[in-house]
Structure formats: C-alpha cells, structure tokens
Amino acid sequence: MISHGKEIKLFAGNSNPALAQGISDSLGIPLGNAVCTQFADGECSVSVYEPVRGTDVFLLQSTCGPVNDNLMELLVMIDAMRRASAGRITAVIPYFGYARQDRKAKSRDPISAKLVANLITHAGADRVLTMDLHASQIQGFFDIPVDHMLGGKLFADHYLERFGANNEELIVASPDVGSVARARSFAMKLGTGLAIVDKRRERANQSEVMNLIGNVEGKNVIILDDMVDTAGSLCGAAKAIKEIGGANKVYACATHGVLSGPALERVEESVLEELLLLDTIPYPKDRPQVEKIRYLSVAPLFARAIERIYNDESMADLFN
C-alpha cells in the first residue's frame, strides 16, 4: 500500500467510534493511540501517545451531536497533529455539521458553514474528505482541497440488488424541490421515473405538503434525501405520496440520520415501510431501536478514498 515512503496513521475522535473502527478494519490499519477527553470545566483535551512526525495523518470525526463538542475535538486534534509535525493532515468528516447555514436567508444571518470551514483550515488541516454536504457549494468555502463523496451510489447498489434495474413498479421521489437534482441522478441509476413533493415550510423544522408532481399510483416509491433531522418533512412527504398519490409502498433513504427530537417516534408511526440510513452518524444513544430504521456502512467507501488520497491516486470513480 505504501507508494511514497511515508507512514499512514489513523486517529479517531469520540463522535462515531464504530465507523472509525470499520474504516480501520477495512484498511487493515489500527487506530492510533490518542485519547480525547474533557477537563473538569468541560474544555476539550487531546493526548497523542505516539509519534506522527512526517506521517500522513487521517483524523476520523463526524461533527454530529453534541455538535460543538465534536467540532472542538476535531479542531484540537488537528492542532495537536500540526504542532507534532505531521507531514499531511486530512480531516475525514463523514457528516459536516453547520452545513445548513450556507447562506444569508434573512437579514443579519450568519454563514456558519463558511465559519466552520475557516476554523478547520486555520487549525491546520491540509485537506478534507466528507460526504453529501447539504449544499455542494460548501466545497468552495474551504481554501484547501475537498473530496466530496456521494452516498447515492451506495443506495443505488442496494436497491438495484433488491428491486432490479428498470423496474416499472418502482419510482423515485424527491421530498422537496431543492433535492430534485439529487433524486433525478438517483432515478437514472435505477432506471425509474421521478416524482416531486412540493411543500411550503411554515417555520423551522415544520413543513406543510402542498402538491405532488408525478404519477405514483400503485407504485413502490423510494424517497431520497441527504439528511433526516426531526423527520417531519420526510414523514409528511411519505404521507402525501401514500394518501394523495395512491402509492403502494413507500421507502426512504438518506445519507445522514441526525434523528433529533421526535424523529424516532415519527418514523415509527409513519407510513414508511423502511428508512435506510448510512452510518455517518451513530444511532442516538440510550434510545430504543426503531425496527423501520436500518443502516448501510460507509466504512469500505471511506477506506478506499483514504487509500487513494494516501497513494495520490484518482478519486473520480468514487464520486460517480
């Protein structure tokens, strides 16, 4: 695997230890000896117990909940590696938090996604590896290289194996107008048609379904989204597709399962047959398992991406 003489090392924060271990196992490289803890007053503390001078370091950390703690862990880890003279530091962020604040929606709004990009860059990261940013233009907020992978390929492979290609009884649905491009690409991979749920959002984390564009009557529908937060929009779209559109069965898939607030209860009580998520964010701790929610692992895909970055090889086919 070593092509240029540098040693590769993986280190993980506390955000998603199961995924970090999965990436480590896929690469056949053990996780480095580092510990992220907190001082008595809550400040982040990082201790690295092995040399990293001149090595190619990959830091595995999603900035999921608790978002600020995990983000600070990542920043302190980057700083520790930079001050220890690591050769190159890649921040591997399967889920990039604050991505929904990517523009000024009203007067005096912050653009928090740009702020977080600046923090990661100035902390000392040399490049970023992430998946399904809420808005693709966030790549441009960084002044360092960003490798942006897409989860749609994993979902497409799964559903092609499950339902087959060009299945006339299957159709893909976009949960809102903003996700149409993502859903169209996904539908093309499966060889199906496309429907769109048109909605009007009354206030934050609440939405009202207004119209359904496309014929889903009697079909099995797959809703594709980039993330599920409180699940209000997703479950509302599924209800409209089922009750207004007359669909047979409704499935849903999303890259990032934030699953905050009443999300688990909403999914459990919804008309969805299944919600398929990627493990960029771990299932909420101390919450009962919802049978409708299942996961696919992104560990093998991230492992391949890390290997190619390390070997200075093309990543193009991983983005398709």
Side-chain angles (χ1 to χ4, degrees), residues 107-129:
S107 299
R108 296 173 294 281
D109 270 0
I111 304 180
S112 304
K114 172 59 175 171
L115 172 62
V116 173
N118 286 345
L119 289 171
I120 292 170
T121 302
H122 289 292
D126 294 297
R127 67 185 306 125
V128 169
L129 173 62

Side-chain angles (χ1 to χ4, degrees), residues 7-8 12 28 42 129 134 136 154 168 186 195 201 203-205 215 225 228 251 266 268 270 280 315:
E7 187 179 1
I8 181 174
L129 173 62
H134 188 64
S136 295
L154 296 176
E168 295 183 356
F186 183 60
R201 189 180 299 276
R203 49 188 174 274
N205 292 328
N215 182 17
D225 210 347
V228 179
Y251 304 85
R266 284 175 172 172
E268 190 169 31
S270 71
T280 57
M315 302 268 287

